[in-house]
Amino acid sequence: MPDRSDTPLAPVLLGNEPGSFPHSVLAERHPAIIRQVRESFPYGPEQHRALDALHASCTEGVIEPLPADAHDRDRWTAWGADLYTGRSWFDVPWLWSESYFYRRLLEAVGYFAPGPWQGIDPFRPSKLAELDAPETDEELAALDDLADRPADEQDRALLHGSLWGNRADLGFRLSAPHDESSADTQPLVADDSAALWSLLPPTGSATLVLIADNAGRELVPDLLLIARLLTQGRVRRAVLHVKPYPYYVSDATHADVLDALRRLRAAPGAAATYGHTLWSAMTDGRLTVRAHPFSSAPLPFAALPGDLREELSTATLTLVKGDLNYRRLVGDRLWPPTTPFTDVTAHFPGPVAALRTLKSDVITGLDARTEAVLDETEGQKWRTGGTHALIQVRT
């Protein structure tokens, strides 16, 4: 559907242009992910044959249908599988190709089928390695120093920790550093944080929905932010939306939430206090974890199903985390960067904020001067390099 009648639709991103970022994901990243998964577990001959077939399909073949007995075949049919089956992975919408790749990858390793590999997350070893890395200890230790800071500085630090994800140490600095970008450009290309805080006053009774992105060291600061908002009374109830199955290598599932809680509770100092706060909030219902099937759909949020649309319409604020969710929020299109964020999110059923580190070509809501400076000093690398971020709000 159009995002807004007076905003012309931009071209949908495809992966068929050699040298483009989407093309590199399909041609290089996906084969590398297959190799990584192959080495993560001692899969048997059946899984190795299926992985070989998926590799050949991705690189030289066409999109193939799910097995006839796949539990979600009807759902994927509704999401466009019949329309794209038999076509090159490079010639269909990039968002669809990426999403379907991960669904086929899980099929290849037996994630959904009865047997010993059922329910085994092929990305779990890398998720746990990151979560248990020494860098995580360093980031959690920074919470002890943060505890003595004024409340507004704590708010800002935890918001920026969530924004920057696995570079969460940036969030505990009191001013944005310049070493994350060129000397002429700021790390934040858009900052609507004042509008975000205005929706969550300290004495409010808000319901917050946070649509999570990655697990591990990116999920931990999301949970810390939720704990802070609950403790300060800015939020009465929080709902954390995660993926129903492993997705995009590092996207968070319910199991990843539990791993992150374990990590926090086992840490010393303030981190453990945050962990116990979250644990208590889950047991008494102030924090709920949901995994709606649409969370792994290959579609933009403009196509939200009715039940999810109704839930989000009642939220005081929905926080949309990460690059993939941003693409789904505004539409995975090559918008002119100055396209108003409010226009392309007009479809969303309630107030929405995007916290996103830039890792793909999609961008909206920039002023013309910011775009010009970024292009002049960094070419197009600022769009995909992860050195810039944004906080955008539509009230």
Side-chain angles (χ1 to χ4, degrees), residues 72-130:
D72 55 352
R73 183 183 172 103
D74 289 347
R75 182 178 297 146
W76 276 93
T77 296
W79 289 343
D82 286 353
L83 180 63
Y84 300 130
T85 294
R87 297 173 63 180
S88 166
W89 293 80
F90 295 86
D91 292 336
V92 306
W94 181 41
L95 176 63
W96 203 96
S97 287
E98 282 195 287
S99 299
Y100 194 64
F101 167 78
Y102 289 99
R103 176 60 185 85
R104 291 309 309 245
L105 183 64
L106 293 183
E107 191 72 33
V109 298
Y111 181 86
F112 295 110
W117 296 108
Q118 187 174 31
I120 301 296
D121 182 348
F123 311 120
R124 184 170 173 77
S126 57
K127 289 177 178 178
L128 290 178
E130 182 184 278

Side-chain angles (χ1 to χ4, degrees), residues 195-255:
L196 186 155
W197 292 121
S198 72
L199 291 168
L200 302 173
T203 57
S205 57
T207 296
L208 174 75
V209 173
L210 193 153
I211 300 178
D213 186 31
N214 293 329
R217 288 171 58 208
E218 296 197 35
L219 180 61
V220 166
D222 294 343
L223 292 171
L224 294 175
L225 177 61
I226 289 174
R228 172 73 180 173
L229 295 174
L230 288 169
T231 302
Q232 293 300 107
R234 289 183 180 272
V235 168
R236 177 179 55 85
R237 178 173 177 265
V239 182
L240 179 66
H241 278 261
V242 296
K243 301 300 189 296
Y245 51 76
Y247 190 65
Y248 277 73
V249 180
S250 57
D251 280 26
T253 66
H254 198 170

Side-chain angles (χ1 to χ4, degrees), residues 156-211:
R156 179 186 182 279
L158 291 172
L159 178 64
H160 280 248
S162 178
L163 170 65
W164 287 102
N166 64 4
R167 294 159 59 188
D169 58 306
L170 293 178
F172 300 118
R173 301 179 187 177
L174 299 182
S175 60
H178 287 276
D179 58 354
E180 297 300 328
S181 58
S182 99
D184 298 318
T185 58
Q186 294 289 335
L188 276 183
V189 299
D191 185 4
D192 295 340
S193 53
L196 186 155
W197 292 121
S198 72
L199 291 168
L200 302 173
T203 57
S205 57
T207 296
L208 174 75
V209 173
L210 193 153
I211 300 178

